[in-house]
Amino acid sequence: MPIFLPVAGVTINLFLLIGAGAVVGFLSGLLGVGGGFLLTPILMMIGVPPTVAAASDTNSIIATSSSGVAAHFRLGNVDPKLGSVLLLGGLTGAAIGVQIIKILRTLGNADFVITVTYVFVLGSVGSFMFVESLRSLRRGSLVAKTSHPKEQHNLFAKLPFQMQFPRSGIQHSVFVPFVLCSLVGILTAVMGVGGGFIMVPMMVYLLRTPMRIAVGTDLFQILFTCAGVTLMQSVTNHTVDLMLALLVAVGSTIGAQIGARIGRYLRGDQLKIVLASIVLAVMVKMMISIISTPACLIAYSRGH
Amino acid sequence: MKRVPPILAVLLTLAAGLTPLCGEEPAGQPLKLTPETIQMGAFYSGMPLRIEGMVRPGSSVVVVVRGPDVEEVFNLKGRAGPIWINKSKVHISGAPSLFLCFHIAPLKETLSLSVLEKYQIGYEEIHKQMRIQPPEQDREVVRASFITLKTQENVYRNIRNGVQMGTATPAGVPYSVEFHWPRRAPPAAYEVKAYECRDHTVVSQTIASLKVVEVGFPAWMAWFARKHASLYGLMAVIVAMLAGFGIDLLASRLRRKGIATRAKPSPAETHPEAAPAGAGKGESESEKPPRGLKPAA
């Protein structure tokens, strides 16, 4: 059943869109990753223009993360103080990212930069996950690598404006979470991802936040950062397709429920290798698209 | 010199004004389009279109559907090391947004080159009309790429054997063209022209207009996103949040319902006398944590 996406200006099969969301949601539920970093390239592959895919993906993340935040809030896994600092950083980064996209669109290279950023990030994340999972398999089990949770980074401890975060049980200069989250905010705007796959490891390994608080607080800041990015993309670039975002969100929510149920019966390290392989395959597909000679040497410029 | 009577002079002038300049005969029956207006709704994916008309016996037909000329901006790709990047921008104007040409025999066999040029029929004529800015671009590459792009989108098509001729009647020979209107064709007023051809020239032409309009929810949403971007963005955020919280509410209710169903005592537990032998020994199902849920810390 075809459906006309008014902002994207393309007609795509309704079930293909829900299916794409469901596949990513399934992996998300199965493996505990956000999935936004997979959804944008998949949308691009099924014919959604890259700028619309990235912006609408951000919008769909609002739906999926608000559902997660509600659940984590009930369990007390959200640190509002740390979340607010992260949110400020995220919004600052997002504002920078949206302006970067605006400039690149005017120059005609926005779609290209999004593709290259994806190739780089998916390549790095995929390789890291693959190697780590392989090591885990060889060891026989997954071992948490939070080796020295109480050890403070000397550089961070010397920074000014130290702040206590009682819910997380940590103390940091306010600049540390702010800057880290600004970088993730730029990625959110450029790639249309929630940034959880970068932010959670950063919070656990660099900020020493407990894992469950890191996940809940990250979702909290993702929700508001994505809300900010959606608003900015709508006003600045007119690339948010609400219909596309909702269809994808419906698929990913259903997929996540199924994935979470199946995930209980499967081994984590094997699943991680599967995810890493998918990530690397998507990266290779995107790399081929920018290396191989295009069938047509001109493409519509959406910078005007 | 013999003087021409005034009434005769008036009649001669009128006759001269009514005679087509190109030697065409007056058009026959008007073109019939089914439908006359194409509506782009929520489930729009192009739609079947039928064009019908009538010509005199022995004539051939060329039907051309043409969109308005538009100026479009494109990125021109070029190699930078191993990868292809957008190197510069090109403005292309003077080419129609859509060009569909249906004919029976090859165009050059049906019409002479001068006639094709005069009526602007065929890709070669589009090539000639196209204006490219900045002019220093490789014009042939840009022109060829433009046609390739439009052909990929199905908005430029040149279809031989695209016209079906019917059985001759006293009124003439009916013909029809049936095709799927390309979904990528933007909303606009399109011109449909049918050329009656004989002896490599056009003897008459009939014209009709086809409208493609956005309707319903998609039209409203596209307009809202463009004209009220801030409100649209706010709406996108609120709708997505409500959807998320709604899903959470639904999921938690279903979960609670599922737990309650599992925790409901079985008839065997409620009526021990009805239980089969051996039942009720050891740990009952209801005492175990529900499958898949971890016990509370």
Side-chain angles (χ1 to χ4, degrees), chain B residues 35-48:
Chain B
E36 287 178 342
T37 303
I38 291 177
Q39 298 185 330
M40 299 169 80
F43 300 104
Y44 174 75
S45 179
M47 64 165 58

Side-chain angles (χ1 to χ4, degrees), chain A residues 25-33 255-256 258-264 266 271:
Chain A
F26 176 75
L27 290 171
S28 170
L30 194 70
L31 304 157
V33 293
I258 300 166
R261 281 175 188 274
I262 292 176
R264 290 173 196 147
L266 299 172
L271 293 173

Side-chain angles (χ1 to χ4, degrees), chain A residues 101-180:
Chain A
I101 288 286
K102 192 181 177 186
I103 294 164
L104 289 170
R105 284 185 74 182
T106 313
L107 295 172
N109 272 319
D111 293 352
F112 170 75
V113 169
I114 291 173
T115 310
V116 169
T117 311
Y118 261 103
V119 168
F120 178 73
V121 174
L122 293 184
S124 314
V125 173
S127 309
F128 176 77
M129 279 171 70
F130 196 86
V131 171
E132 198 207 23
S133 310
L134 215 59
R135 278 185 193 154
S136 298
L137 268 178
R138 280 182 190 155
R139 279 201 302 266
S141 66
L142 274 172
V143 180
K145 289 206 288 183
T146 47
S147 48
H148 307 290
K150 297 293 169 195
E151 188 182 292
Q152 271 278 5
H153 287 263
N154 288 336
L155 183 68
F156 291 175
K158 285 174 189 168
L159 290 170
F161 299 107
Q162 292 287 323
M163 192 184 261
Q164 288 279 351
F165 299 101
R167 176 72 62 90
S168 305
I170 54 168
Q171 180 185 319
H172 278 292
S173 162
V174 75
F175 292 120
V176 177
F178 181 84
V179 171
L180 288 179

Side-chain angles (χ1 to χ4, degrees), chain A residues 2 4 6 11 59 63 66-67 70 74 106 108-109 112 231 234 238 240 242-243 253 290-292 296-301, chain B residues 42-44 72-75 77 83-86 89 145 150 153 217-218 225 232-234 236 240 244-245 247-248 292:
Chain A
F4 181 63
T11 302
N59 193 12
S66 55
S67 157
R74 282 197 294 270
T106 313
N109 272 319
F112 170 75
L231 209 55
S234 303
H238 309 282
V240 175
L242 179 57
M243 202 180 279
T253 314
I290 55 170
I291 289 175
S292 56
C296 183
L297 290 179
I298 60 169
Y300 289 101
S301 167
Chain B
F43 300 104
Y44 174 75
E72 290 177 297
V73 187
F74 297 90
N75 294 317
K77 291 176 196 286
I83 55 174
W84 287 88
I85 62 164
N86 296 327
K89 280 189 184 295
S145 298
K150 296 288 183 183
E153 291 177 349
F217 185 64
Y232 175 81
L234 201 64
F245 288 131
I247 288 163
D248 174 64

Side-chain angles (χ1 to χ4, degrees), chain A residues 15 169 213 242:
Chain A
F15 299 113
I213 304 271
L242 179 57

Side-chain angles (χ1 to χ4, degrees), chain B residues 94-226:
Chain B
S97 59
L98 174 131
F99 182 84
L100 309 174
C101 183
F102 304 88
H103 42 95
I104 299 164
L107 278 178
K108 283 178 184 169
E109 288 176 17
T110 311
L111 295 166
S112 66
L113 288 177
S114 59
V115 173
L116 287 174
E117 189 177 350
K118 181 181 174 185
Y119 291 97
Q120 299 175 353
I121 301 171
Y123 291 163
E124 283 172 27
E125 299 314 314
I126 293 173
H127 270 229
K128 287 178 194 166
Q129 297 156 29
M130 208 184 284
R131 290 185 296 277
I132 298 166
Q133 287 292 335
E136 63 268 18
Q137 297 292 347
D138 189 341
R139 301 176 75 83
E140 282 315 304
V141 169
V142 173
R143 280 177 175 149
S145 298
F146 178 83
I147 300 286
T148 308
L149 181 70
K150 296 288 183 183
T151 310
Q152 281 172 356
E153 291 177 349
N154 272 338
V155 291
Y156 273 39
R157 292 173 76 190
N158 208 350
I159 300 159
R160 195 183 155 186
N161 297 324
V163 183
Q164 282 80 47
M165 301 301 287
T167 316
T169 63
V173 183
Y175 66 87
S176 66
V177 174
E178 278 182 81
F179 65 102
H180 193 86
W181 180 257
R183 65 186 188 189
R184 297 292 293 265
Y190 293 85
E191 188 181 60
V192 183
K193 278 188 181 176
Y195 301 96
E196 184 179 348
C197 315
R198 201 184 298 155
D199 301 328
H200 303 283
T201 191
V202 172
V203 291
S204 77
Q205 59 173 310
T206 41
I207 304 171
S209 179
L210 174 73
K211 280 183 186 164
V212 178
V213 289
E214 282 182 318
V215 291
F217 185 64
W220 176 81
M221 199 174 250
W223 168 84
F224 194 42
R226 277 194 302 268

